[in-house]
């Protein structure tokens, strides 16, 4: 659901877009920190917000970090 949001912000499309790891943080909803393989040896870390169920809002790409490697630790940002 967040791939098109990231592609719009980056101004490019990703042929490969595979989540390989994630962590969660409970706030007034849930933050998901997701390590995504985007092709070759390139990875990105995404922060995706899922609102509370009664708000009925779509997943939102809050922020991201590019130029990550497979071994980079996924941390809260």
């Amino acid at each position: 659901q967040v791939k098109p949001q990231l592609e719009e912000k980056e101004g490019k499309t990703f042929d490969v877009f595979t989540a390989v790891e994630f962590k969660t943080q409970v706030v007034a909803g849930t933050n998901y920190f997701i390590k995504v393989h985007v092709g070759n040896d390139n990875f990105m870390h995404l922060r995706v917000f899922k609102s509370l169920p009664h708000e009925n809002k779509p997943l939102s790409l809050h922020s991201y970090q590019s130029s990550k490697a497979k071994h980079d630790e996924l941390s809260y940002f």
Side-chain angles (χ1 to χ4, degrees):
Q1 287 184 339
V2 298
K3 181 182 177 195
Q5 295 176 53
L6 180 63
E7 289 176 336
E8 183 178 334
K9 289 181 186 237
E10 281 286 290
K12 60 184 173 183
T13 59
F14 297 102
D15 293 331
V16 177
F17 197 81
T18 308
V20 295
E21 181 183 347
F22 78 97
K23 294 181 179 182
T24 60
Q25 176 187 38
V26 177
V27 289
T30 305
N31 282 322
Y32 290 91
F33 298 89
I34 308 167
K35 182 184 292 187
V36 178
H37 179 226
V38 293
N40 299 321
D41 292 328
N42 301 316
F43 289 79
M44 299 181 88
H45 293 182
L46 311 182
R47 179 176 169 187
V48 176
F49 179 71
K50 181 178 182 181
S51 62
L52 295 171
H54 72 275
E55 294 179 323
N56 200 27
K57 293 182 181 176
L59 292 176
S60 170
L61 177 62
H62 186 273
S63 57
Y64 65 95
Q65 298 173 335
S66 56
S67 303
K68 294 291 187 175
K70 184 175 184 173
H71 66 272
D72 287 341
E73 181 181 351
L74 182 60
S75 58
Y76 299 96
F77 61 92

